[in-house]
Amino acid sequence: MAEIAVSGAITAVTTVLPFLQKICSVGDRRNIEEVREWLNTMIAYLKDTEGREDTAGLKDRVQRVQDLAYETQDAIEEFMYEVPEHFHHHWITIALHDIAHFFKDFLPLCRFSSRMADIKKEVDDIGDFDTIRFCPSQVASSSTTAKEVSGTYNSFSRNDHHVLVGITKRVDVLLDRVSMGDQPRYLRDIVIPVIGDPGSGKSTVIHEVFEMVKNSFECKAWVSVTPFCKDFLEKLCQELELPFDPGRHNKRSLQFHLQQKTYILVFDGIWFENQWKCIEKLLSCTKKQGSKIIISTRNRNLASICTSSHDYIYDLNLTPLTSEEALELFCKKVFKGDKCPDHFFHLVDWCKKIMIRCEESPHAIVAVSNFLSNKPLNGTEFKNVLGSLEFEPGHPVSLSCYRIFSRSYYHLLPNLRSCFLYFCNFPEGHLVTRGRLIRQWIGCGFIEKRECTTLEQVAYEYLDELVQMSMVRVTGRDSGGRIRSCQVSNLARGFILSMSDKRNFNVLRSSSASLGGEKTRGLSLHNCPLSMLQGTDLSYVRTFSMFGGDKFSESMANELFKNFKLMKNLNLENAALQHFPKEVVNLTLLRYLSLRSTKIDSVPKSIKKLQNLEFLGLRNTLITKLPKEIFGLPKLLCLFVGCPNAVVGAQVYPGIECSTSLQKLSLIKANYKEKSIVKELGNFTDLRKLGITELKEIEGKDLCASIEKMKHLYSLSVSSASKEVYLDLKDMKESPRLLQKLSLGGRLKEIPAWVGELYNLYKIELKWSKLQNSPLEALHALPSLKELHLYAAYTGVFLEFIAQPFLELRILEVEQCNQLNQVVILEQALPKLQKLIIINCDRLAMVHITMNMLSQLEEVRVHRTVLD
């Protein structure tokens, strides 16, 4: 937690430093720079200590570092709240601002200078810098946490025969992969990665296979890999019963020994590519036909790097324990038998509930059953254990289940740890969409800035890394392969909650819950009334979310928001709000604001005070027009408004200027009181996503000119003023080459020629187009197209898919094409199609597809007879 605190303080210092350099004295700037240097030193120090504070002195030092980091962040952000940075574009207003604020900012600046001097003194008082920079000798070895987690494999896996329940099918799958290299065509060793979630039993399965096949090889070894390959060579030599002499050429003798023999080597617990490179370099000269290398890892990317073929990778998540096997494993430990004895039949329901809570994880099941095996076997004990797993993350049995995540957690960088811990904001089982999640990460300041890439792209890389490390589960992907939604498991969420108190983050899940900690820095309400927060100190809260709960008065909400002076991330989605909360505009540090799916009907002009706002979510509200002051927000990146499902946008006043770095804008109307804003959209040259509605036919040419200026555009949605109004988009001299998603809603005389040049396009929707010619002719050359949606898009009677085009198409939807009589998909056409939907086509008489096509489809909805 201390490392996260220091990282947050460094971000705060880095953000405010350019502004402070303009207004602070030389002495103040020197203090701030020295504090930043000290914070950077602390990051290096804490990387060597976090997770193994096993002496009282070390615990105290780390705690003081964390407290001072939080104090630094508080001092900076409180000053930023009192003296917000203003943005002016004319020299006269700049000069007037400087004069007006010279006196107004004098006292806050004095307070800030005094506070930073005190912090600098505390830094000097912490102790000798040399003892902080380096770890004490007694804790310089690998972390206690890592040893503890590594030990769980030995205690739960290799010496405990109870966990062998349900292992046969898993062993058989791994044996198949081990035997794949026995054919004569394999002239080298093969690498078999075994991947899976924490606690899924990777080491158990590998150990069983290792014991079964090791005598078939001339050499065998099992090595647990340390983070930096420390003592790796010595361990391998010991396993192979080779002499090891420090300082001698042990590597050469090992290679000579293995060159002449077949071997099976297991490397358990590889995390990073450099660990694999160390192993690969050592064994590069020893490859022999028939030899096998098996590795276990939680890192899915690493598994792909290690092996020559994905066919060798074994993902244990594909063969999980069944509910029956999980119950059997539980009963073996608790009741010393394969099932619950008859006289304990009343406990069966409790057992099943606990198994569901453990998500069939072997590690969690063994941890819980070990705990219960030493308790009286009655319903009260079982109920208490279930309750502790649900509501007491700090309970001993809960910690036993969750500790399997510790090792993964301590391998993450500070920013990634913050992103992972942020999942506690969401209720259990809540599916989080990619966009909302990564935008909230950015709003909290977790995402580092990089050259030549957007913050959202960096945030997506963070999310993908958490997925590859088996810490976050993907629940849906789009046709482009990108994560659409995700969640964490119950066990991972329990681990996150167990860490929340250390970072002063409170998750309230019942009306009887209470805030913990002196300075709450994060707060999330799950089905709790807002009234429970009245009378509490919320002045240090940076992020606030609420899910469910009773209705609340707007006076209560405004009274609460007065306390949120340091708020950065405010999520009021689905809240019972009738009006825009007036106190929100005073939260000048706010970076993320979501009022999505509320009943607010307007946005005040005073929103211009939110000079740090980056993300504004107003989707599915009653807002029909936006004040032009929104487009004056200098840092605004994303603005979402309107109702996408109903294709209803919001009106924008003419006269918007290029005063923001806006990257996403959707949905807005093309004109306001007969005045078009289409030409002005060309000012937003940084746009990545644009959604525009009610476009008139005569505005098409101007829209094309504006789009040509958007060199980064990847998503475009255009709808006409009505279903019968034509879209005239033919005058695009240079197509938006990076476009990936395109939606055109309105009459089309023909599909614009530039659409056929969108080689990155993977999704296209045509609505109400009523094309007389088949749309397939204009789209067949798109090499990346994966989704094709046709809604009232074609007035012809015949639609035929032939063999060569649309080789990547996964989803085909045809709806309300009322003249359509036949759809024919020929042999070898659409080889990757997974979903076929043809509905509400009144005159459809036949859909012709082959039996091979029918067998490959995962979803079919066709409202007519399917003929072969």
Side-chain angles (χ1 to χ4, degrees), residues 530-531 534 551-561:
L530 201 63
S531 57
Q534 289 182 314
K551 293 184 178 180
F552 53 87
S553 66
E554 298 198 15
S555 60
M556 182 191 302
N558 282 313
E559 190 65 31
L560 181 68
F561 297 150

Side-chain angles (χ1 to χ4, degrees), residues 232-258:
F232 167 71
L233 182 57
E234 182 178 357
K235 287 182 180 180
L236 187 54
C237 288
Q238 288 174 354
E239 285 283 321
L240 294 171
E241 299 180 352
L242 295 175
F244 182 84
D245 187 359
R248 300 292 297 274
H249 298 294
N250 298 293
K251 176 180 176 181
R252 189 176 302 171
S253 60
L254 172 67
Q255 291 175 338
F256 180 79
H257 179 76
L258 294 177

Side-chain angles (χ1 to χ4, degrees), residues 788-824:
L788 174 58
H789 303 265
L790 303 174
Y791 302 102
Y794 179 47
T795 59
V797 297
F798 184 67
L799 206 57
E800 182 181 47
F801 292 86
I802 58 177
Q804 292 304 315
F806 304 110
L807 295 178
E808 296 296 321
L809 199 68
R810 266 75 166 177
I811 298 174
L812 172 61
E813 294 187 5
V814 182
E815 186 173 355
Q816 295 182 15
C817 294
N818 292 326
Q819 302 302 316
L820 191 62
N821 182 260
Q822 293 185 41
V823 177
V824 176

Side-chain angles (χ1 to χ4, degrees), residues 1-13:
M1 292 299 106
E3 194 174 344
I4 291 177
V6 174
S7 180
I10 291 174
T11 300
V13 172

